[in-house]
Amino acid sequence: MTQSLPTDLPRAITPEEIAAYERDGAAVLRGVLPMAWIEVMRAAVERVLKNPGEASVEYTPKGKQGRYYGDFFLWRRDPAFKAFMQASPMPELAAQVMKSRQLHFFYDQLLVKEPNTAEPTPWHQDLSYWPVRGEQIISIWAPFDAANEQSGVVVYVKGSHKWGKLYTPATFADKSGFAEIYAKAGLEPLPDIEAQRHKYDILCWDMAPGDVLIHHPLTLHYASGNRSATGRRRGLALRYVGDDAVFDARPWTFLENKKVMANLPAITLEDGEAFSGELFPRVWPRD
Ligand SMILES: O=C(O)CCC(=O)C(=O)O
């Protein structure tokens, strides 16, 4: 059924949008995700929510209202997620923004916040969690609902990708299994951005279905809980790596999280090697 969906970008990414991404570390791209894909992905998200995977995390504590659900590497178990990262306009978008000849898929991460969910996504930078080095590394945050600050759209500290900092990864929830791993990384503690928001230039966009956000792996970002009483916030982050990205074998990344890695093939990449293999397929150019 995904075969009849559009693969081409509805429009080219403009030089101004690329310049904003490079300068600010994040940008909004309006009207780049066709509605047909959103519908397919809404159905795919429902499948996952009804049948949570082994790597999934319920970030909302039991007994509290709302639901903050996180899951990883969905493309490995659901054909719609695989089609979305491979055959939707998203790889072309990533290649254009990063000016990359080739792309490999790194992983996908589903983050759903149902109405009345209090739990925020803490301020963090992605790169400190990841076994990757390079500049051509991008996240596309694709919401399948309208999203705004009230419902927990992702917001960014403008220009923070240029601070030259790699901060200690934040843990999304106490029992997620990550805290012990990240404490060992020996990185600089994150500043308390939430408590001092006035000191930072925060980028925040209202999103309509069809819009996506893009961000650099060093850009600090956050999302509030979903304070809407009715509006869901279903977001999927797609991570792509381009020509200059290589495997970084440093310890204390998410690879050491047994829950995430349990059902994935073993990674045999050496430090400094380009991404390849079954777990990190080439998705651009399309064969
Ligand atoms: O969806 C969220 O709440 C956070 C997303 C995020 O942290 C990311 O895409 O890297």
Side-chain angles (χ1 to χ4, degrees), residues 34-48:
M35 202 59 211
W37 276 107
I38 295 178
E39 277 156 14
V40 164
M41 292 312 296
R42 283 177 178 164
V45 170
E46 290 326 291
R47 279 197 292 282
V48 171

Side-chain angles (χ1 to χ4, degrees), residues 196-215:
Q196 316 169 68
R197 264 193 183 230
H198 60 281
K199 287 195 184 162
Y200 301 95
D201 199 349
I202 310 275
L203 295 170
C204 175
W205 292 280
D206 286 356
M207 310 284 290
D211 302 342
V212 304
L213 294 171
I214 49 174
H215 67 260

Side-chain angles (χ1 to χ4, degrees), residues 68 111 113 121 124 126 141 154 215 221 223 233 237 239:
Y68 180 9
L111 293 150
K113 296 190 183 190
T121 307
H124 67 281
D126 296 334
W141 191 79
V154 181
H215 67 260
H221 54 288
R233 198 227 66 167
R239 332 285 192 181

Side-chain angles (χ1 to χ4, degrees), residues 125 127-128 160-168 187-189 191 217-220:
Q125 270 171 329
L127 197 64
S128 41
S160 49
H161 63 312
K162 294 197 173 155
W163 291 355
K165 299 277 191 190
L166 194 62
Y167 293 112
T168 302
L187 297 172
E188 188 174 334
L218 285 174
T219 308
L220 283 160

Side-chain angles (χ1 to χ4, degrees), residues 8 78 106 113 124 139 147 156 170 173-174 179 181 183 188 202-204 207-208 212 221 244 247 259 267 280 282 287:
D8 293 340
D78 187 294
F106 182 34
K113 296 190 183 190
H124 67 281
S139 289
Y156 302 91
D174 291 346
I181 297 171
E188 188 174 334
I202 310 275
L203 295 170
C204 175
M207 310 284 290
V212 304
H221 54 288
D244 80 349
F247 184 71
K259 208 174 154 180
I267 296 174
F280 307 115
R282 203 192 74 184
D287 292 320

Side-chain angles (χ1 to χ4, degrees), residues 187-267:
L187 297 172
E188 188 174 334
L190 270 164
D192 188 351
I193 295 166
E194 205 42 23
Q196 316 169 68
R197 264 193 183 230
H198 60 281
K199 287 195 184 162
Y200 301 95
D201 199 349
I202 310 275
L203 295 170
C204 175
W205 292 280
D206 286 356
M207 310 284 290
D211 302 342
V212 304
L213 294 171
I214 49 174
H215 67 260
H216 184 280
L218 285 174
T219 308
L220 283 160
H221 54 288
Y222 167 91
S224 74
N226 182 354
R227 295 187 295 272
S228 165
T230 51
R232 306 178 75 184
R233 198 227 66 167
R234 291 167 287 185
L236 181 68
L238 300 177
R239 332 285 192 181
Y240 294 95
V241 293
D243 299 333
D244 80 349
V246 293
F247 184 71
D248 186 340
R250 72 189 169 82
W252 319 128
T253 67
F254 76 47
L255 297 187
E256 291 175 55
N257 189 303
K258 307 258 179 318
K259 208 174 154 180
V260 173
M261 300 315 291
N263 294 313
L264 300 175
I267 296 174

Side-chain angles (χ1 to χ4, degrees), residues 21-97:
Y21 168 77
E22 289 173 352
R23 181 190 63 233
D24 301 336
V28 63
L29 303 177
R30 307 251 180 229
V32 291
L33 179 54
M35 202 59 211
W37 276 107
I38 295 178
E39 277 156 14
V40 164
M41 292 312 296
R42 283 177 178 164
V45 170
E46 290 326 291
R47 279 197 292 282
V48 171
L49 291 175
K50 286 201 185 95
N51 187 12
E54 287 178 33
S56 68
V57 190
E58 301 284 352
Y59 295 114
T60 299
K62 275 208 177 76
K64 278 192 72 186
Q65 63 174 349
R67 183 183 190 189
Y68 180 9
Y69 177 89
D71 210 341
F72 306 83
F73 289 95
L74 284 313
W75 75 271
R76 304 274 311 165
R77 59 188 168 95
D78 187 294
F81 283 84
K82 183 171 181 182
F84 188 58
M85 67 82 170
Q86 217 167 30
S88 79
M90 296 301 101
E92 185 180 5
L93 181 156
Q96 283 191 19
V97 172

